[in-house]
Amino acid sequence: MDLAWYEENGQTPPQTFEDLLLPEYAGQTVVTNPATSSPGLALLAATVGAFGETTAEGTGGWINYWASLRDNDLLVVDGWSDAYYVDFSGGGGDGVRPVVLSYASSPPFTVGDDGEARTAALLDTCFRQVEYAGVLAGAENPEGARAFIDFLLSEPFQADVPEQMYVYPIDSSVELPQEWVDFAPLASSPWSVPADTIAQERSEWINLWTATVLR
């Protein structure tokens, strides 16, 4: 969320999923479509974890939350770049919405000359998103692929991940940049859904979300 926007407009920033449904935050949120964006799918899964499953008829649970968010003038776009750089007020462009679906590790990217971040994450709405790399079965050069994985896991590469990719390194022994320590704390209690449940239900979730939010 864009801290400067809230300060300039004399409004207390939202903190929770429920806050985003309040009338005073109408028209402030932009998210990405879970059918076209991995952060969008992560947010959908977070709401499943937070509000529970829906009925077979498509009522209750997480879908009711999304219906309410839609009715509070939610904006949905296809990809993260458009959401962050076009529609988000804190993305450096002409956006007007102060709440954007992004990563909790984004705020260090907005640290200004004064040493303060212009944005902050809503840590009570987070879902842990993990990026993987591996060697495919039947790869033409498995030895080279394994060497590349070893390189990705090396200390120099892992130490460079935060400021190059704006994600946390998998190696917890790596010393984080001070801006990350100050402005990118990990969510202490992220929402979660079992991986096998996501794999089994993802397509149906997206279909139901699309029918409800993009109607």
Side-chain angles (χ1 to χ4, degrees):
M1 60 185 164
D2 182 356
L3 296 175
W5 187 97
Y6 284 102
E7 183 176 357
E8 291 169 4
N9 287 273
Q11 190 174 21
T12 301
Q15 299 296 326
T16 67
F17 278 130
E18 290 82 0
D19 286 349
L20 299 179
L21 304 182
L22 298 175
E24 54 264 40
Y25 299 117
Q28 294 188 5
T29 302
V30 54
V31 302
T32 53
N33 190 325
T36 57
S37 163
S38 63
L41 181 59
L43 179 60
L44 173 54
T47 60
V48 173
F51 299 103
E53 286 282 10
T54 65
T55 67
E57 292 74 28
T59 60
W62 64 268
I63 200 62
N64 274 16
Y65 176 80
W66 279 100
S68 297
L69 191 58
R70 174 205 64 204
D71 293 343
N72 211 30
D73 193 16
L74 174 71
L75 176 63
V76 178
V77 298
D78 285 339
W80 178 87
S81 293
D82 280 345
Y84 195 90
Y85 292 114
V86 177
D87 298 296
F88 179 43
S89 62
D94 297 323
V96 298
R97 294 189 174 235
V99 178
V100 64
L101 171 60
S102 188
Y103 301 89
S105 51
S106 294
F109 182 71
T110 68
V111 173
D113 293 338
D114 60 356
E116 297 295 325
R118 300 188 305 276
T119 63
L122 282 69
L123 295 179
D124 289 340
T125 69
C126 289
F127 187 91
R128 189 83 75 226
Q129 184 171 336
V130 181
E131 298 183 359
Y132 294 89
V135 181
L136 298 177
E140 292 185 6
N141 182 12
E143 292 80 11
R146 292 189 184 94
F148 181 68
I149 297 298
D150 289 340
F151 165 70
L152 295 181
L153 294 173
S154 66
E155 194 280 336
F157 184 92
Q158 289 287 302
D160 209 31
V161 162
E163 293 188 316
Q164 295 297 327
M165 301 297 293
Y166 280 87
V167 296
Y168 266 85
I170 192 64
D171 185 349
S172 60
S173 69
V174 169
E175 184 177 356
L176 293 171
Q178 188 59 46
E179 291 175 347
W180 279 62
V181 175
D182 294 338
F183 302 113
L186 282 170
S188 59
S189 301
W191 297 105
S192 63
V193 178
D196 57 348
T197 300
I198 296 176
Q200 181 177 350
E201 303 292 341
R202 176 177 57 196
S203 294
E204 184 58 32
W205 289 346
I206 291 175
N207 290 338
L208 182 56
W209 181 95
T210 300
T212 301
V213 179
L214 300 184
R215 68 179 189 180

PDB file of all heavy atoms in Angstrom, residues 30-55:
ATOM      1  N   VAL A  30      -6.391  -2.679  -6.401  1.00  0.00           N
ATOM      2  CA  VAL A  30      -6.197  -3.317  -7.699  1.00  0.00           C
ATOM      3  C   VAL A  30      -5.484  -4.649  -7.475  1.00  0.00           C
ATOM      4  O   VAL A  30      -4.507  -4.728  -6.730  1.00  0.00           O
ATOM      5  CB  VAL A  30      -5.405  -2.422  -8.677  1.00  0.00           C
ATOM      6  CG1 VAL A  30      -4.082  -1.953  -8.089  1.00  0.00           C
ATOM      7  CG2 VAL A  30      -5.180  -3.149 -10.002  1.00  0.00           C
ATOM      8  N   VAL A  31      -6.004  -5.714  -8.091  1.00  0.00           N
ATOM      9  CA  VAL A  31      -5.417  -7.044  -7.976  1.00  0.00           C
ATOM     10  C   VAL A  31      -5.237  -7.632  -9.365  1.00  0.00           C
ATOM     11  O   VAL A  31      -5.704  -7.071 -10.366  1.00  0.00           O
ATOM     12  CB  VAL A  31      -6.299  -7.986  -7.114  1.00  0.00           C
ATOM     13  CG1 VAL A  31      -6.514  -7.408  -5.722  1.00  0.00           C
ATOM     14  CG2 VAL A  31      -7.634  -8.263  -7.807  1.00  0.00           C
ATOM     15  N   THR A  32      -4.586  -8.781  -9.433  1.00  0.00           N
ATOM     16  CA  THR A  32      -4.393  -9.458 -10.705  1.00  0.00           C
ATOM     17  C   THR A  32      -5.254 -10.715 -10.779  1.00  0.00           C
ATOM     18  O   THR A  32      -5.589 -11.326  -9.774  1.00  0.00           O
ATOM     19  CB  THR A  32      -2.912  -9.836 -10.913  1.00  0.00           C
ATOM     20  OG1 THR A  32      -2.443 -10.570  -9.777  1.00  0.00           O
ATOM     21  CG2 THR A  32      -2.062  -8.592 -11.087  1.00  0.00           C
ATOM     22  N   ASN A  33      -5.586 -11.066 -11.999  1.00  0.00           N
ATOM     23  CA  ASN A  33      -6.453 -12.207 -12.278  1.00  0.00           C
ATOM     24  C   ASN A  33      -5.731 -13.517 -11.937  1.00  0.00           C
ATOM     25  O   ASN A  33      -4.628 -13.752 -12.427  1.00  0.00           O
ATOM     26  CB  ASN A  33      -6.812 -12.173 -13.767  1.00  0.00           C
ATOM     27  CG  ASN A  33      -7.889 -13.150 -14.148  1.00  0.00           C
ATOM     28  OD1 ASN A  33      -7.967 -14.247 -13.605  1.00  0.00           O
ATOM     29  ND2 ASN A  33      -8.713 -12.781 -15.106  1.00  0.00           N
ATOM     30  N   PRO A  34      -6.316 -14.383 -11.128  1.00  0.00           N
ATOM     31  CA  PRO A  34      -5.644 -15.645 -10.783  1.00  0.00           C
ATOM     32  C   PRO A  34      -5.472 -16.589 -11.967  1.00  0.00           C
ATOM     33  O   PRO A  34      -4.669 -17.514 -11.894  1.00  0.00           O
ATOM     34  CB  PRO A  34      -6.562 -16.251  -9.712  1.00  0.00           C
ATOM     35  CG  PRO A  34      -7.889 -15.630  -9.944  1.00  0.00           C
ATOM     36  CD  PRO A  34      -7.600 -14.238 -10.422  1.00  0.00           C
ATOM     37  N   ALA A  35      -6.215 -16.346 -13.046  1.00  0.00           N
ATOM     38  CA  ALA A  35      -6.069 -17.183 -14.236  1.00  0.00           C
ATOM     39  C   ALA A  35      -4.853 -16.789 -15.065  1.00  0.00           C
ATOM     40  O   ALA A  35      -4.389 -17.582 -15.898  1.00  0.00           O
ATOM     41  CB  ALA A  35      -7.329 -17.101 -15.093  1.00  0.00           C
ATOM     42  N   THR A  36      -4.324 -15.587 -14.839  1.00  0.00           N
ATOM     43  CA  THR A  36      -3.230 -15.083 -15.674  1.00  0.00           C
ATOM     44  C   THR A  36      -2.021 -14.624 -14.873  1.00  0.00           C
ATOM     45  O   THR A  36      -1.039 -14.167 -15.461  1.00  0.00           O
ATOM     46  CB  THR A  36      -3.719 -13.898 -16.527  1.00  0.00           C
ATOM     47  OG1 THR A  36      -4.242 -12.873 -15.663  1.00  0.00           O
ATOM     48  CG2 THR A  36      -4.816 -14.337 -17.496  1.00  0.00           C
ATOM     49  N   SER A  37      -2.071 -14.734 -13.545  1.00  0.00           N
ATOM     50  CA  SER A  37      -1.020 -14.178 -12.702  1.00  0.00           C
ATOM     51  C   SER A  37      -0.790 -15.067 -11.497  1.00  0.00           C
ATOM     52  O   SER A  37      -1.728 -15.411 -10.778  1.00  0.00           O
ATOM     53  CB  SER A  37      -1.437 -12.768 -12.244  1.00  0.00           C
ATOM     54  OG  SER A  37      -0.690 -12.330 -11.146  1.00  0.00           O
ATOM     55  N   SER A  38       0.466 -15.422 -11.233  1.00  0.00           N
ATOM     56  CA  SER A  38       0.751 -16.252 -10.057  1.00  0.00           C
ATOM     57  C   SER A  38       0.482 -15.505  -8.749  1.00  0.00           C
ATOM     58  O   SER A  38      -0.028 -16.112  -7.800  1.00  0.00           O
ATOM     59  CB  SER A  38       2.180 -16.794 -10.101  1.00  0.00           C
ATOM     60  OG  SER A  38       3.132 -15.759 -10.069  1.00  0.00           O
ATOM     61  N   PRO A  39       0.785 -14.187  -8.633  1.00  0.00           N
ATOM     62  CA  PRO A  39       0.356 -13.498  -7.414  1.00  0.00           C
ATOM     63  C   PRO A  39      -1.163 -13.494  -7.262  1.00  0.00           C
ATOM     64  O   PRO A  39      -1.684 -13.571  -6.143  1.00  0.00           O
ATOM     65  CB  PRO A  39       0.903 -12.076  -7.598  1.00  0.00           C
ATOM     66  CG  PRO A  39       2.052 -12.234  -8.518  1.00  0.00           C
ATOM     67  CD  PRO A  39       1.647 -13.321  -9.464  1.00  0.00           C
ATOM     68  N   GLY A  40      -1.882 -13.404  -8.385  1.00  0.00           N
ATOM     69  CA  GLY A  40      -3.335 -13.460  -8.319  1.00  0.00           C
ATOM     70  C   GLY A  40      -3.822 -14.780  -7.772  1.00  0.00           C
ATOM     71  O   GLY A  40      -4.761 -14.837  -6.965  1.00  0.00           O
ATOM     72  N   LEU A  41      -3.187 -15.877  -8.205  1.00  0.00           N
ATOM     73  CA  LEU A  41      -3.562 -17.192  -7.697  1.00  0.00           C
ATOM     74  C   LEU A  41      -3.197 -17.329  -6.228  1.00  0.00           C
ATOM     75  O   LEU A  41      -3.950 -17.924  -5.441  1.00  0.00           O
ATOM     76  CB  LEU A  41      -2.875 -18.288  -8.518  1.00  0.00           C
ATOM     77  CG  LEU A  41      -3.192 -19.725  -8.122  1.00  0.00           C
ATOM     78  CD1 LEU A  41      -4.689 -20.014  -8.215  1.00  0.00           C
ATOM     79  CD2 LEU A  41      -2.410 -20.706  -8.998  1.00  0.00           C
ATOM     80  N   ALA A  42      -2.063 -16.760  -5.832  1.00  0.00           N
ATOM     81  CA  ALA A  42      -1.668 -16.807  -4.424  1.00  0.00           C
ATOM     82  C   ALA A  42      -2.674 -16.059  -3.553  1.00  0.00           C
ATOM     83  O   ALA A  42      -3.023 -16.516  -2.460  1.00  0.00           O
ATOM     84  CB  ALA A  42      -0.270 -16.221  -4.249  1.00  0.00           C
ATOM     85  N   LEU A  43      -3.160 -14.910  -4.034  1.00  0.00           N
ATOM     86  CA  LEU A  43      -4.159 -14.168  -3.262  1.00  0.00           C
ATOM     87  C   LEU A  43      -5.461 -14.949  -3.169  1.00  0.00           C
ATOM     88  O   LEU A  43      -6.104 -14.976  -2.112  1.00  0.00           O
ATOM     89  CB  LEU A  43      -4.413 -12.800  -3.903  1.00  0.00           C
ATOM     90  CG  LEU A  43      -5.460 -11.931  -3.209  1.00  0.00           C
ATOM     91  CD1 LEU A  43      -5.060 -11.632  -1.763  1.00  0.00           C
ATOM     92  CD2 LEU A  43      -5.696 -10.640  -3.980  1.00  0.00           C
ATOM     93  N   LEU A  44      -5.858 -15.585  -4.259  1.00  0.00           N
ATOM     94  CA  LEU A  44      -7.059 -16.418  -4.222  1.00  0.00           C
ATOM     95  C   LEU A  44      -6.902 -17.517  -3.177  1.00  0.00           C
ATOM     96  O   LEU A  44      -7.812 -17.755  -2.355  1.00  0.00           O
ATOM     97  CB  LEU A  44      -7.317 -17.019  -5.603  1.00  0.00           C
ATOM     98  CG  LEU A  44      -8.445 -18.049  -5.719  1.00  0.00           C
ATOM     99  CD1 LEU A  44      -9.759 -17.504  -5.185  1.00  0.00           C
ATOM    100  CD2 LEU A  44      -8.595 -18.489  -7.170  1.00  0.00           C
ATOM    101  N   ALA A  45      -5.751 -18.191  -3.178  1.00  0.00           N
ATOM    102  CA  ALA A  45      -5.510 -19.242  -2.189  1.00  0.00           C
ATOM    103  C   ALA A  45      -5.511 -18.678  -0.770  1.00  0.00           C
ATOM    104  O   ALA A  45      -6.002 -19.327   0.161  1.00  0.00           O
ATOM    105  CB  ALA A  45      -4.180 -19.938  -2.482  1.00  0.00           C
ATOM    106  N   ALA A  46      -4.985 -17.466  -0.601  1.00  0.00           N
ATOM    107  CA  ALA A  46      -4.981 -16.846   0.725  1.00  0.00           C
ATOM    108  C   ALA A  46      -6.398 -16.638   1.235  1.00  0.00           C
ATOM    109  O   ALA A  46      -6.687 -16.859   2.417  1.00  0.00           O
ATOM    110  CB  ALA A  46      -4.244 -15.510   0.684  1.00  0.00           C
ATOM    111  N   THR A  47      -7.308 -16.233   0.342  1.00  0.00           N
ATOM    112  CA  THR A  47      -8.688 -16.032   0.777  1.00  0.00           C
ATOM    113  C   THR A  47      -9.389 -17.353   1.059  1.00  0.00           C
ATOM    114  O   THR A  47     -10.265 -17.416   1.926  1.00  0.00           O
ATOM    115  CB  THR A  47      -9.489 -15.221  -0.263  1.00  0.00           C
ATOM    116  OG1 THR A  47      -9.508 -15.907  -1.517  1.00  0.00           O
ATOM    117  CG2 THR A  47      -8.894 -13.837  -0.436  1.00  0.00           C
ATOM    118  N   VAL A  48      -8.994 -18.406   0.364  1.00  0.00           N
ATOM    119  CA  VAL A  48      -9.525 -19.734   0.699  1.00  0.00           C
ATOM    120  C   VAL A  48      -9.086 -20.103   2.109  1.00  0.00           C
ATOM    121  O   VAL A  48      -9.872 -20.599   2.924  1.00  0.00           O
ATOM    122  CB  VAL A  48      -9.053 -20.796  -0.319  1.00  0.00           C
ATOM    123  CG1 VAL A  48      -9.468 -22.192   0.132  1.00  0.00           C
ATOM    124  CG2 VAL A  48      -9.618 -20.509  -1.712  1.00  0.00           C
ATOM    125  N   GLY A  49      -7.800 -19.862   2.409  1.00  0.00           N
ATOM    126  CA  GLY A  49      -7.308 -20.143   3.750  1.00  0.00           C
ATOM    127  C   GLY A  49      -7.966 -19.290   4.815  1.00  0.00           C
ATOM    128  O   GLY A  49      -8.237 -19.754   5.922  1.00  0.00           O
ATOM    129  N   ALA A  50      -8.235 -18.025   4.476  1.00  0.00           N
ATOM    130  CA  ALA A  50      -8.786 -17.097   5.459  1.00  0.00           C
ATOM    131  C   ALA A  50     -10.274 -17.289   5.700  1.00  0.00           C
ATOM    132  O   ALA A  50     -10.747 -17.184   6.845  1.00  0.00           O
ATOM    133  CB  ALA A  50      -8.525 -15.658   5.015  1.00  0.00           C
ATOM    134  N   PHE A  51     -11.033 -17.596   4.646  1.00  0.00           N
ATOM    135  CA  PHE A  51     -12.497 -17.596   4.758  1.00  0.00           C
ATOM    136  C   PHE A  51     -13.136 -18.967   4.525  1.00  0.00           C
ATOM    137  O   PHE A  51     -14.342 -19.111   4.699  1.00  0.00           O
ATOM    138  CB  PHE A  51     -13.088 -16.583   3.771  1.00  0.00           C
ATOM    139  CG  PHE A  51     -12.628 -15.177   4.036  1.00  0.00           C
ATOM    140  CD1 PHE A  51     -11.655 -14.596   3.237  1.00  0.00           C
ATOM    141  CD2 PHE A  51     -13.124 -14.460   5.108  1.00  0.00           C
ATOM    142  CE1 PHE A  51     -11.206 -13.305   3.489  1.00  0.00           C
ATOM    143  CE2 PHE A  51     -12.678 -13.174   5.376  1.00  0.00           C
ATOM    144  CZ  PHE A  51     -11.720 -12.596   4.566  1.00  0.00           C
ATOM    145  N   GLY A  52     -12.323 -19.952   4.171  1.00  0.00           N
ATOM    146  CA  GLY A  52     -12.852 -21.308   4.033  1.00  0.00           C
ATOM    147  C   GLY A  52     -13.467 -21.571   2.672  1.00  0.00           C
ATOM    148  O   GLY A  52     -13.649 -20.679   1.840  1.00  0.00           O
ATOM    149  N   GLU A  53     -13.780 -22.833   2.453  1.00  0.00           N
ATOM    150  CA  GLU A  53     -14.338 -23.273   1.178  1.00  0.00           C
ATOM    151  C   GLU A  53     -15.759 -22.762   0.983  1.00  0.00           C
ATOM    152  O   GLU A  53     -16.466 -22.412   1.931  1.00  0.00           O
ATOM    153  CB  GLU A  53     -14.318 -24.799   1.093  1.00  0.00           C
ATOM    154  CG  GLU A  53     -12.936 -25.375   0.864  1.00  0.00           C
ATOM    155  CD  GLU A  53     -12.480 -25.259  -0.583  1.00  0.00           C
ATOM    156  OE1 GLU A  53     -13.151 -24.571  -1.367  1.00  0.00           O
ATOM    157  OE2 GLU A  53     -11.454 -25.857  -0.922  1.00  0.00           O
ATOM    158  N   THR A  54     -16.188 -22.761  -0.265  1.00  0.00           N
ATOM    159  CA  THR A  54     -17.561 -22.417  -0.610  1.00  0.00           C
ATOM    160  C   THR A  54     -18.390 -23.687  -0.704  1.00  0.00           C
ATOM    161  O   THR A  54     -17.867 -24.805  -0.719  1.00  0.00           O
ATOM    162  CB  THR A  54     -17.625 -21.702  -1.964  1.00  0.00           C
ATOM    163  OG1 THR A  54     -17.210 -22.622  -2.991  1.00  0.00           O
ATOM    164  CG2 THR A  54     -16.698 -20.499  -1.979  1.00  0.00           C
ATOM    165  N   THR A  55     -19.694 -23.523  -0.791  1.00  0.00           N
ATOM    166  CA  THR A  55     -20.573 -24.673  -0.981  1.00  0.00           C
ATOM    167  C   THR A  55     -20.552 -25.100  -2.443  1.00  0.00           C
ATOM    168  O   THR A  55     -20.010 -24.404  -3.312  1.00  0.00           O
ATOM    169  CB  THR A  55     -22.013 -24.310  -0.593  1.00  0.00           C
ATOM    170  OG1 THR A  55     -22.511 -23.329  -1.529  1.00  0.00           O
ATOM    171  CG2 THR A  55     -22.074 -23.749   0.810  1.00  0.00           C
TER     172      THR A  55
END
